[in-house]
Amino acid sequence: MKQTRNTLAKTEILKLIETSEVALSPAEILAILHGVCDRVTIYRVLDRLTEEGIIHKIATIEGVIKYAICQNCTLEKHNHNHLHFTCERCQTTTCITTVEPSFTLPEKYKIKSVNFTISGICPECN
């Protein structure tokens, strides 16, 4: 098994995602960290944290990829059976873990990943 490295960039990015109340895009992370690392390093760290089961990806309706901390995931199994809400005004994306959507697929379909995204107006912009 490959040993994981704890670099300054990884530590700062993880701390930022852990303390954020909303999911963050790589561009938002780059702007907040003010030169701690470059764009390429941010993408590498985000990929590594996703592979390690620490964070998860959220594809917004606009096609922007954002990242949020995992709640009960492991290296072997990610479980993101909750809603992601993107505000049409402020563009924030929030995990709403109190809602678990359900669906049924026809036979012989196998699920690889699920992303439930809803857009509207958040309470802050209401």
Side-chain angles (χ1 to χ4, degrees):
M1 176 170 259
K2 186 177 178 182
Q3 181 71 25
T4 61
R5 294 183 341 207
N6 286 322
T7 62
L8 174 63
K10 182 178 177 183
T11 302
E12 291 300 314
I13 291 169
L14 182 55
K15 186 174 16 172
L16 180 61
I17 293 173
E18 283 177 330
T19 59
S20 179
E21 292 186 16
V22 297
L24 299 170
S25 70
E28 291 167 326
I29 293 169
L30 182 63
I32 294 167
L33 290 182
H34 308 287
V36 169
C37 56
D38 61 18
R39 183 179 55 85
V40 173
T41 302
I42 289 171
Y43 281 103
R44 286 186 184 145
V45 169
L46 292 172
D47 284 345
R48 190 176 326 135
L49 291 171
T50 302
E51 289 171 10
E52 292 173 3
I54 298 170
I55 64 173
H56 66 283
K57 288 183 183 183
I58 302 160
T60 68
I61 291 175
E62 295 82 20
V64 176
I65 302 297
K66 296 194 175 193
Y67 296 84
I69 199 75
C70 289
Q71 300 300 319
N72 297 308
C73 296
T74 64
L75 202 61
E76 296 79 31
K77 185 178 180 202
H78 278 274
N79 179 20
H80 305 291
N81 192 19
H82 60 262
L83 294 179
H84 300 107
F85 186 92
T86 300
C87 180
E88 294 173 354
R89 288 192 185 145
C90 66
Q91 300 303 308
T92 58
T93 300
T94 308
C95 292
I96 301 178
T97 57
T98 55
V99 178
E100 288 191 16
S102 64
F103 60 93
T104 305
L105 287 176
E107 280 187 50
K108 299 185 182 179
Y109 284 83
K110 294 182 181 178
I111 299 171
K112 183 177 176 186
S113 66
V114 177
N115 183 16
F116 294 102
T117 305
I118 295 175
S119 70
I121 306 299
C122 73
E124 298 295 317
C125 293
N126 216 352

